[in-house]
Amino acid sequence: MIDSDTSNSRTLGRLTEKFPDLPAQRPAVMVFHDDLRLHDNAALAAAAEHGPVVAVYVREDPETTEARALGRATQWWLHHSLERLAASLAEHDVPLIVLDGHPLRLIPELTRQIGAPYVAWSRRYHQPQRDLDASLKKLLRAQGVQAHSFAGHLLAEPSDVVNSQDRPYQVYTPFSRRLRAAVENSFVQGLVPPTGVPRTLRGPGADLECTRADLAELALLPSHPARRDPDWTAKLAEVWEPGEDGARRRLADFLERINGVDDDPGYAAGRDVPSVSATSSLSPHLRFGEISPHAVWAAIEELDDAGEDGTVFQSQLMWRDFAWHRLYYHPDLATTNMRKEFDAFPWPWDPEEFSAGMAGGRDGRRAVNAEGFLGDLGEWRAGTTGIPLVDAGMRELWQTGHMHNRVRMVVASFLCKNLGIHWRHGEEWFWDTLVDADPASNAFNWQWVAGSGDDASPYFRIFNPETQAKRFDGEGVYIARWVPEHGTDSYPEPIVDLKESREMALAAYEGTKK
């Protein structure tokens, strides 16, 4: 059963007051998901071709839809991205309606109220959402409404990148060859300006203010009175600019330095050095679809001299697709080892720890009950392990909602192999604190480091944080920035011996193969 919601009823009720002539206008509905942009948005373009547009975003209730609840960092991002989207749509007289609940009730109700004959949305690839969208399409068509979904979140559809036996690839290299060929035959659709209801037909009240009121009811920000989270998001705003404009500025900045600037190396040589600005920082914008992967790919192709730097960066875009294609076929990627032999691995796991640790306004870095392995987990999350590169990465994450990719591999390896803690604890922490945490890449990359995933790094590849620091932060610039007390008496001793813990990890792995 799909329950009604009072605030949603108020929102939908406002439509007939604000837009008394909407039924006569026969508007199309655009349902936004993780495609919060106007450019290169095939679904929005299709809706715009079918009349004036009413846009809607539904925060799907995890209890009834099985959608995974967003972490705190992505909630912050979503709030601000929706605000930016509403402002961009308002320039075209398009209202953005923000609802909370079950889309199988809310979207058909919305289409009935405004007499919409056409509904469009961007295709989704995670099983719970795929099933929802298939059911929604069936419901709408039963009402006599045209309902269509469109590609746009990936470089290519999972059905288009298969081997000669029409089976999905499980290894990245052949996948990437097939994907590159598919992408080279694609194109980027520019902005097809949507139109809204003429302002002369509007009732009283500003669209943006209504959207902001709807957003406030979602309580996405920790500063909201309905929440008791510590307000740690001010520091995120110092680093990030959510929204399509921010994404396009990030891309423009990256294109100017992809081949290197002054003494900083280009992307291919500098992407593993955490102290230089060689990476794109586009991942959260791609996660929320504020820019399409096709647009980023095309921008690289249009450069005259991208060379190896452009090719290596495009391989990272293809790795993102690889993760999503694997999630398409394995929707339980965040909870289940892809390599079943790891089910016997003696990783400690406490299924209640994460939800308990986030309750009551705590920042959640320290476990509620720090006995046993949970004490080590708390030191890892807080960046107080006594291992400088690990601590630097974890503090960067807490301060910025982001972590350099090379360091992500190091801290993940340290958790799973040196501390011997289940990769799911790490995946959950990243899910809550990364602004770019998405259902595919987050789980896929954790399983890659742990050794339990498809085409994963072998388990015996254990990143030594000291060796990695010497190689990629030789002058200690990155560590000094995030761990200023390193080298002083106030810095803690390591919580684990790297050599001994490595040997224990390899012995445990050998035990799973017997």
Side-chain angles (χ1 to χ4, degrees):
M1 170 147 182
I2 303 170
D3 297 325
S4 61
D5 180 89
T6 303
S7 64
N8 289 325
S9 297
R10 287 199 303 268
T11 299
L12 294 175
R14 285 201 299 262
L15 286 174
T16 54
E17 298 174 4
K18 288 173 57 185
F19 309 113
D21 296 322
L22 267 178
Q25 292 291 311
R26 302 283 287 166
V29 171
M30 168 63 191
V31 182
F32 281 96
H33 294 126
D34 290 333
D35 57 341
L36 306 181
R37 64 182 184 273
L38 273 60
H39 292 78
D40 194 32
N41 192 325
L44 179 60
E49 292 173 356
H50 285 79
V53 175
V54 170
V56 61
Y57 180 90
V58 179
R59 198 261 296 268
E60 295 171 350
D61 175 22
E63 295 296 325
T64 56
T65 65
E66 299 182 18
R68 187 177 186 181
L70 294 179
R72 290 180 296 172
T74 46
Q75 287 181 39
W76 175 87
W77 192 287
L78 175 63
H79 176 96
H80 292 291
S81 187
L82 287 172
E83 275 196 332
R84 307 298 197 279
L85 177 66
S88 296
L89 290 170
E91 294 177 3
H92 301 278
D93 295 338
V94 175
L96 174 63
I97 311 302
V98 177
L99 304 172
D100 188 20
H102 205 304
L104 297 188
R105 178 183 65 83
L106 295 171
I107 301 303
E109 182 178 343
L110 173 64
T111 59
R112 282 194 295 268
Q113 286 204 21
I114 65 176
Y118 188 92
V119 179
W121 61 83
S122 293
R123 204 162 293 140
R124 298 193 284 181
Y125 302 91
H126 195 192
Q127 189 64 55
Q129 285 73 36
R130 287 165 57 195
D131 291 344
L132 275 177
D133 292 346
S135 297
L136 177 61
K137 189 176 291 186
K138 184 177 181 180
L139 281 173
L140 291 172
R141 289 178 175 176
Q143 289 181 198
V145 176
Q146 296 185 59
H148 299 277
S149 60
F150 297 85
H153 194 63
L154 305 178
L155 290 170
E157 298 295 277
S159 59
D160 293 337
V161 186
V162 292
N163 61 23
S164 57
Q165 288 79 43
D166 288 329
R167 298 182 62 82
Y169 290 100
Q170 294 179 270
V171 177
Y172 172 73
T173 299
F175 170 88
S176 65
R177 288 196 213 94
R178 178 69 185 86
L179 176 59
R180 184 176 285 276
V183 176
E184 288 175 352
N185 295 322
S186 63
F187 70 97
V188 175
Q189 183 172 30
L191 174 63
V192 178
T195 59
V197 179
R199 294 182 189 277
T200 55
L201 298 180
R202 304 281 181 94
D207 291 338
L208 284 176
E209 290 307 311
C210 290
T211 300
R212 291 185 181 116
D214 295 341
L215 276 172
E217 291 184 355
L218 292 189
L220 294 170
L221 299 180
S223 57
H224 192 279
R227 295 176 59 168
R228 293 193 296 154
D229 291 358
D231 190 1
W232 59 293
T233 57
K235 54 185 177 284
L236 299 182
E238 296 173 3
V239 180
W240 300 104
E241 181 190 358
E244 184 173 12
D245 289 344
R248 295 170 74 83
R249 277 190 277 270
R250 284 277 185 185
L251 176 59
D253 172 70
F254 176 60
L255 295 177
E256 290 181 357
R257 54 185 172 80
I258 188 172
N259 298 128
V261 177
D262 298 328
D263 294 331
D264 285 344
Y267 181 79
R271 66 193 179 105
D272 284 323
V273 182
S275 62
V276 303
S277 299
T279 57
S280 72
S281 297
L282 283 168
S283 54
H285 299 289
L286 287 165
R287 184 259 180 266
F288 283 97
E290 297 167 347
I291 194 167
S292 74
H294 275 287
V296 178
W297 182 283
I300 301 297
E301 291 286 289
E302 292 170 4
L303 290 177
D304 294 331
D305 57 351
E308 181 187 9
D309 294 305
T311 300
V312 173
F313 179 73
Q314 287 177 329
S315 71
Q316 297 303 301
L317 291 175
M318 292 193 291
W319 183 263
R320 173 182 178 270
D321 256 50
F322 188 45
W324 272 101
H325 286 225
R326 298 314 297 150
L327 182 70
Y328 181 87
Y329 294 104
H330 297 282
D332 57 352
L333 192 61
T335 57
T336 303
N337 295 314
M338 292 298 98
R339 295 175 59 188
K340 295 305 178 186
E341 63 266 31
F342 279 86
D343 290 348
F345 196 89
W347 275 315
W349 164 249
D350 181 351
E352 303 298 326
E353 191 280 330
F354 187 71
S355 58
M358 304 310 294
R362 302 175 71 256
D363 70 25
R365 286 180 287 183
R366 305 290 184 180
V368 174
N369 181 354
E371 294 182 0
F373 80 93
L374 295 179
D376 287 344
L377 179 62
E379 302 288 1
W380 178 82
R381 292 193 299 213
T384 53
T385 67
I387 307 295
L389 186 58
V390 172
D391 292 345
M394 299 308 295
R395 295 186 196 185
E396 180 190 18
L397 172 61
W398 186 248
Q399 292 293 320
T400 70
H402 192 259
M403 189 191 300
H404 188 276
N405 188 61
R406 166 61 55 173
V407 185
R408 292 190 197 198
M409 292 188 287
V410 173
V411 304
S413 174
F414 181 78
L415 180 75
C416 298
K417 298 173 181 178
N418 295 100
L419 295 183
I421 296 174
H422 204 302
W423 60 264
R424 287 185 62 185
H425 280 299
E427 194 277 340
E428 285 187 335
W429 185 246
F430 274 28
W431 179 260
D432 194 58
T433 54
L434 279 173
V435 292
D436 62 2
D438 76 22
S441 296
N442 194 49
F444 182 84
N445 288 331
W446 268 97
Q447 291 222 43
W448 184 87
V449 173
S452 62
D454 292 324
D455 198 17
S457 172
Y459 184 84
F460 54 78
R461 184 187 182 192
I462 300 176
F463 290 87
N464 184 307
E466 293 178 346
T467 303
Q468 293 286 308
K470 290 177 182 177
R471 182 177 179 186
F472 299 110
D473 191 35
E475 297 182 2
V477 175
Y478 177 76
I479 289 173
R481 178 181 180 187
W482 297 108
V483 192
E485 76 274 23
H486 175 239
T488 71
D489 292 339
S490 62
Y491 190 60
E493 292 294 319
I495 63 173
V496 67
D497 182 276
L498 294 176
K499 182 178 179 180
E500 290 180 1
S501 58
R502 181 181 188 276
E503 293 172 353
M504 292 177 64
L506 294 176
Y509 177 59
E510 288 299 319
T512 65
K513 297 190 295 184
K514 295 178 180 178

